[in-house]
Amino acid sequence: MPEPLHERARTSLRLRALDLRDRVGRRSDRLVPPRRLDFVGHSDFVDTGDEFLRHFRELGALARDERVLDVGCGIGRMARPLAGYLSPKGSYDGFDVNPEGIAWCRDRYAGRPNFRFELVDLFNRRYNPAGTLSAETFAFPYADACFDLVIATSVMTHLLESETDRYLGEIGRVLAPGGRLLATWFLLDDLSRRAIADGRAGLPFLDPEQRVAVVSDDLPEEAVAYDRGWVMEAFRRHGLELASIHPGTWRGDDDGCSFQDIVVGTKT
């Protein structure tokens, strides 16, 4: 068997064994996908979702009856904890490029009319290489001023400059006045640049003195970092006021709020 196929087969068998162990140990949850379907990141699905629910409440001031938009919702990592928090008066909308993830979520949340999942045919080199839409011109499929909180976890960290600017513009459009954005970033500033230079940072960004830095020239979307000043200017340009920044442990510090930097903005 060719090496890539052998590796995929071995990974599939390992994940299926873990799924079986969860079922036997009665740890399975209807809103937790089988490990073999969890294509987003390398962190624990449940632990990461629970962590971010705390951030949504404490940093994003999320109330139970508010309207939430999940940009790049994947296979429901943030939807699961929100399903246990939002009241029937609240609502959740998520969109993603991955058809398998969206189909799985639509099936599992079918009994929750205030939870909706939208498939968008955006080009993405990793998750949707045959996509027909460009992130640089993409319009979110929602009306103006219809959300109280927009969440974007591990989204801007995989978008290039013109794409990120477009997304911030669309977020500013769909947020109601006073609404909030909670997004994760790799922010470039004096401290993070020093950590990268010293080899202490969690990711070895190339040319971190630039406005935008990537880990791989061959696949830039693998991880993208932005100069802090650029992010603040982009916020202002799209009607968002900076509320708070919470540094992440990727900078080489153990006391970060999360792995990535968390930035909260308010729609002016």
Side-chain angles (χ1 to χ4, degrees):
M1 183 182 297
E3 183 61 28
L5 292 178
H6 177 77
E7 183 62 30
R8 285 200 297 270
R10 186 166 58 183
T11 298
S12 177
L13 287 173
R14 179 177 62 83
L15 295 179
R16 288 175 185 274
L18 289 171
D19 289 338
L20 177 61
R21 187 187 68 181
D22 287 346
R23 289 196 298 273
V24 171
R26 299 188 178 182
R27 294 182 55 204
S28 60
D29 181 324
R30 178 172 173 77
L31 300 183
V32 176
R35 295 171 197 253
R36 64 186 182 276
L37 295 183
D38 183 11
F39 53 84
V40 181
H42 303 288
S43 60
D44 183 86
F45 186 92
V46 172
D47 289 348
T48 301
D50 290 346
E51 173 201 332
F52 271 88
L53 177 59
R54 293 193 299 271
H55 299 327
F56 301 153
R57 297 176 62 182
E58 297 171 6
L59 307 181
L62 176 64
R64 293 181 182 274
D65 59 352
E66 290 192 305
R67 303 161 296 176
V68 178
L69 172 62
D70 188 357
V71 177
C73 63
I75 199 165
R77 184 166 57 175
M78 301 302 158
R80 182 200 61 83
L82 287 168
Y85 178 74
L86 292 176
S87 75
K89 293 183 179 180
S91 66
Y92 169 99
D93 285 89
F95 70 84
D96 200 88
V97 303
N98 188 281
E100 188 173 36
I102 293 297
W104 191 90
C105 287
R106 284 175 172 172
D107 175 69
R108 294 308 172 103
Y109 290 82
R112 299 174 183 268
N114 58 335
F115 274 67
R116 297 171 290 265
F117 298 87
E118 188 79 18
L119 178 65
V120 294
D121 193 28
L122 278 170
F123 169 79
N124 183 284
R125 269 200 247 195
R126 168 175 281 187
Y127 298 116
N128 193 31
T132 59
L133 302 176
S134 168
E136 295 181 1
T137 57
F138 176 59
F140 290 6
Y142 308 102
D144 296 355
C146 63
F147 293 105
D148 303 299
L149 178 69
V150 173
I151 59 178
T153 58
S154 295
V155 174
M156 311 307 183
T157 54
H158 299 288
L159 294 178
L160 301 180
E161 184 174 351
S162 59
E163 300 168 336
T164 297
D165 188 71
R166 176 65 179 185
Y167 270 48
L168 288 175
E170 284 297 287
I171 289 168
R173 179 182 67 80
V174 301
L175 271 176
R180 291 87 60 208
L181 163 66
L182 187 150
T184 64
W185 303 76
F186 295 120
L187 293 180
L188 297 171
D189 53 28
D190 290 343
L191 293 178
S192 63
R193 286 180 168 114
R194 188 174 306 123
I196 294 168
D198 295 343
R200 294 183 290 106
L203 290 170
F205 285 103
L206 307 174
D207 302 318
E209 71 281 358
Q210 300 297 317
R211 183 174 64 228
V212 181
V214 300
V215 167
S216 169
D217 287 329
D218 293 331
L219 185 62
E221 300 91 338
E222 182 71 17
V224 187
Y226 285 90
D227 179 78
R228 175 171 172 163
W230 184 92
V231 174
M232 300 305 98
E233 174 56 32
F235 268 43
R236 289 190 292 270
R237 188 164 59 251
H238 296 299
L240 298 167
E241 181 179 345
L242 175 66
S244 59
I245 296 177
H246 307 272
T249 59
W250 79 275
R251 297 161 169 266
D253 298 324
D254 294 332
D255 58 351
C257 188
S258 187
F259 177 67
Q260 298 176 6
D261 303 316
I262 296 176
V263 180
V264 181
T266 304
K267 175 66 180 293
T268 56

